[in-house]
Amino acid sequence: MTQRKIIHIDCDCFYAAVEMRDDPSLRGVPLAVGGEGGRGVVTTCNYRAREFGVRSAMPGAEARRRCPDLVTVPPDMARYRAVSQQVMAIFRDLTDQVEPLSLDEAFLDVSDVESHHGSATLMAEYLRQRVRDEVGITVSAGVATNKFLAKIASDWNKPDGMFVLTPDKVDEFVRLLPVEKLFGVGRVTAGKLHALNIRTCGDLAQLKPEVLVDRFGRQGLRLFQMAQGQDDRPVVVTRNAKSVSVERTFSKDLPDKAACETVMTALVDDLAKRLARKGARKPIHKLFVKIRYSDFSTHTLERVREQILVPEPGDYAPLLDELIINTERPVRLLGLGVRFRNDEAPVTQLRLFD
């Protein structure tokens, strides 16, 4: 089997980078996108703000406490999507084997690309330069033989950097890698591994896979494979969306169910626009409604509704009636969406007595 050449490219502080590109006065200040108001949350921030400990998903109040001079701007998703399309188009000029993970990052399989002398390193440099010149932002790249290693490599020399992990360096690199760098290893899993005196992939690789499976279930086998630097996942060019949804967090709680009903029309309109952007219409299987109350408890209800082509506010009314038991309870977040029917899934006839 031919060894893969995978590039992972990640835009540096993407939303903040677009804002700084379009408003030069923001370039020299600590900047956060989002985080305004009493309940705002930082979506992303520039590296100047990160020096003060500001991070994505941090409440705006905490971010301002850490960085009193923090400048905040509201997110402009339409503008970020347009810039993302520019970046992805540059990637697709090189290869059609592109798997976007979000607006600001993607995997590319360049194994069969013959330009740039077939060198993934030269290709990554070429893409970084084109994005810098044509889009006006910087990206970081990782080059390796699989997706797992390429994604770690792209983070190694951020921002505006590149790291190439050649096959002969994989064993040494992975052996010293902290377990916190592994995909799916958060604080809880890392704590469990530390309790077993496992702090690096080298430590992890000493265990037998069955021991890890016994401790961590299916994730244990994945941990073992990553500790060996193994990852056979292909770059997936197309992904079928299983659902589409919209939600809105309110700066001031909606006081009751009646207030929720007044905003449903706007939410359904937003959903219709999002469905239209998806292009080809898929058969709808279910509708769902999501509510988060003022005490942060979250509830979701979904019901099969296969005769609906384009949802209307009235289609969601019965779900809202069923979901909201206490009509006077304040609501912090309201969302709704559709789940699509999977016509490619195999149909199985269940027997009554098997």
Side-chain angles (χ1 to χ4, degrees):
M1 180 179 174
T2 305
Q3 199 161 55
R4 286 181 179 141
K5 300 175 187 176
I6 305 295
I7 303 173
H8 178 261
I9 300 186
D10 191 13
C11 300
D12 301 317
C13 58
F14 179 53
Y15 297 172
V18 174
E19 296 293 344
M20 291 187 292
R21 180 198 70 174
D22 295 346
D23 183 352
S25 70
L26 298 174
R27 293 175 187 172
V29 301
L31 173 69
V33 176
E36 297 176 303
R39 284 182 168 171
V41 173
V42 173
T43 305
T44 192
C45 58
N46 65 3
Y47 287 91
R48 184 86 179 269
R50 293 181 194 190
E51 294 173 2
F52 292 86
V54 178
R55 294 287 181 270
S56 299
M58 178 179 287
E62 172 66 13
R64 285 185 289 276
R65 187 187 68 77
R66 295 190 181 202
C67 180
D69 294 329
L70 185 70
V71 175
T72 58
V73 297
D76 185 345
M77 295 309 299
R79 189 153 45 107
Y80 307 150
R81 276 191 290 269
V83 175
S84 174
Q85 289 169 2
Q86 278 184 279
V87 173
M88 296 300 167
I90 290 172
F91 297 166
R92 293 189 177 99
D93 276 351
L94 179 70
T95 176
D96 60 359
Q97 297 296 302
V98 177
E99 178 183 351
L101 301 180
S102 59
L103 290 180
D104 61 340
E105 63 174 318
F107 285 114
L108 292 76
D109 187 334
V110 296
S111 307
D112 298 324
V113 178
E114 296 179 354
S115 61
H116 305 278
H117 308 289
S119 166
T121 302
L122 294 178
M123 294 178 213
E125 283 288 17
Y126 160 78
L127 294 172
R128 292 183 62 237
Q129 188 65 49
R130 276 197 63 183
V131 173
R132 184 185 296 111
D133 293 344
E134 298 175 28
V135 184
I137 63 173
T138 64
V139 299
S140 295
V143 179
T145 55
N146 61 50
K147 292 167 79 170
F148 157 59
L149 294 173
K151 186 166 173 63
I152 288 178
S154 70
D155 196 47
W156 214 249
N157 286 326
K158 263 187 167 292
D160 193 18
M162 187 170 83
F163 186 74
V164 179
L165 190 53
T166 54
D168 59 311
K169 299 292 185 183
V170 168
D171 289 344
E172 178 186 2
F173 178 83
V174 174
R175 187 173 70 250
L176 300 174
L177 200 64
V179 293
E180 288 85 351
K181 290 286 187 179
L182 299 182
F183 176 76
V185 176
R187 187 176 301 173
V188 174
T189 303
K192 291 179 180 179
L193 290 169
H194 291 169
L196 296 172
N197 204 29
I198 296 170
R199 299 191 176 275
T200 67
C201 285
D203 300 331
L204 195 57
Q206 300 302 312
L207 295 182
K208 294 181 178 179
E210 52 266 31
V211 173
L212 289 167
V213 171
D214 183 58
R215 292 265 186 170
F216 299 98
R218 291 175 58 187
Q219 187 190 17
L221 180 59
R222 182 90 178 103
L223 289 172
F224 180 79
Q225 291 170 335
M226 288 190 290
Q228 316 290 325
Q230 300 171 359
D231 181 11
D232 59 1
R233 293 173 302 156
V235 166
V236 180
V237 177
T238 57
R239 284 184 173 173
N240 292 324
K242 296 179 181 178
S243 65
V244 174
S245 62
V246 295
E247 60 183 43
R248 189 174 299 171
T249 301
F250 304 100
S251 56
K252 184 177 180 181
D253 291 339
L254 297 179
D256 49 28
K257 179 187 173 186
C260 292
E261 291 170 337
T262 63
V263 302
M264 286 294 285
T265 299
L267 277 173
V268 173
D269 285 346
D270 288 347
L271 178 66
K273 292 173 184 175
R274 186 162 293 187
L275 285 168
R277 284 200 300 268
K278 296 292 179 182
R281 184 77 63 189
K282 294 183 180 181
I284 291 174
H285 178 49
K286 293 180 177 180
L287 303 184
F288 63 89
V289 172
K290 172 183 174 182
I291 286 181
R292 180 170 297 142
Y293 290 107
S294 56
D295 62 359
F296 286 87
S297 61
T298 305
H299 305 268
T300 304
L301 178 72
E302 59 182 55
R303 290 288 180 261
V304 174
R305 296 287 189 271
E306 294 198 324
Q307 305 306 314
I308 293 173
L309 296 178
V310 179
E312 297 180 358
D315 296 320
Y316 286 97
L319 280 76
L320 203 65
D321 290 341
E322 190 175 349
L323 187 59
I324 298 181
I325 299 172
N326 181 352
T327 59
E328 302 301 317
R329 193 174 177 186
V331 171
R332 184 174 192 271
L333 176 149
L334 184 61
L336 50 85
V338 302
R339 302 199 194 282
F340 299 118
R341 191 174 73 228
N342 183 5
D343 291 332
E344 297 176 359
V347 178
T348 304
Q349 178 83 32
L350 298 179
R351 295 183 179 181
L352 275 175
F353 301 108
D354 278 3

